[in-house]
Amino acid sequence: GPGTAVDLGGMALSPGLIDQMVLGGFDKSILRDDPLDIARDYLKLGVTSCQLCIGTLPWDSMAEVVARTRAAMRHDGADAAEVLGLYLEGPFQHPERTGASLPEHALPPSAENVRRVTEEFGEAVTTINVSPGTPGAPEAVSALCGVRRRASYEGQAAMELEAAMDPSEEGSYECGLEPAGETMLVRESGLLRRVLDDLAGGVNAGRISSRFH
């Protein structure tokens, strides 16, 4: 049917922009400042939603950023870009490849460490990174699926995840392979993101286990 014409006076109209990796801006940092102040400045540039990001930090420092992120996520005013949550680039980084992060605070993605992140940081975390070459991916997936959150012996989480496989599942998670001397190195980049997407979509642990293996 007929619509309403609006004269923009030579200006352009576009959808709101989304920034998926915000560490700071406008002379502010999410490590020390209120992310809502950053979100307010962002809105003036046409960014209507954003995901905050931190690397590998001391646990107490991460917890402080999470608390500020939670408060920003609850803001329902129209004066700021919507804060979607927090992307954890750390702490599950390879200690020799942390870049500008703090290698001494890097953690292996064990079932216990994943459980601690998900239970203490919870809904504030929207994305979790596990760096390629970091041991512990089976334990991390097992913990996320609820198969084994606490391990009492080495390999328990990985074994129980394998035992949960659904033999009728034919899908898989793609991983990269690259030569490393006489062996091949499996690149797991993005693996946990795909697992989390499946969990959010209601895919059960058996199917996820089969796709992982």
Side-chain angles (χ1 to χ4, degrees), residues 98-112:
T98 57
S101 292
L102 304 175
E104 64 270 26
H105 297 289
L107 297 174
S110 64
E112 182 66 21

Side-chain angles (χ1 to χ4, degrees), residues 61-163:
S61 297
M62 289 195 295
E64 290 174 3
V65 175
V66 167
R68 289 194 291 269
T69 300
R70 282 198 179 106
M73 291 170 68
R74 290 193 293 267
H75 182 72
D76 61 358
D79 61 327
E82 179 183 5
V83 177
L84 302 173
L86 184 64
Y87 163 35
L88 292 183
E89 191 175 21
F92 303 133
Q93 291 180 302
H94 195 290
E96 297 178 2
R97 306 186 185 97
T98 57
S101 292
L102 304 175
E104 64 270 26
H105 297 289
L107 297 174
S110 64
E112 182 66 21
N113 286 335
V114 170
R115 180 196 63 78
R116 188 182 181 194
V117 167
T118 55
E119 289 186 0
E120 294 190 25
F121 297 164
E123 76 290 346
V125 175
T126 46
T127 305
I128 303 175
N129 170 70
V130 175
S131 296
T134 306
E139 288 77 10
V141 174
S142 183
L144 288 170
C145 291
V147 173
R148 170 59 59 179
R149 295 187 181 274
R150 297 178 184 269
S152 55
Y153 59 85
E154 184 176 357
Q156 182 180 13
M159 291 169 60
E160 293 185 10
L161 179 65
E162 183 175 1

Side-chain angles (χ1 to χ4, degrees), residues 46-66:
V47 176
T48 54
S49 57
C50 60
Q51 177 180 248
L52 309 179
C53 175
I54 55 174
T56 295
L57 301 168
W59 189 269
D60 290 346
S61 297
M62 289 195 295
E64 290 174 3
V65 175
V66 167

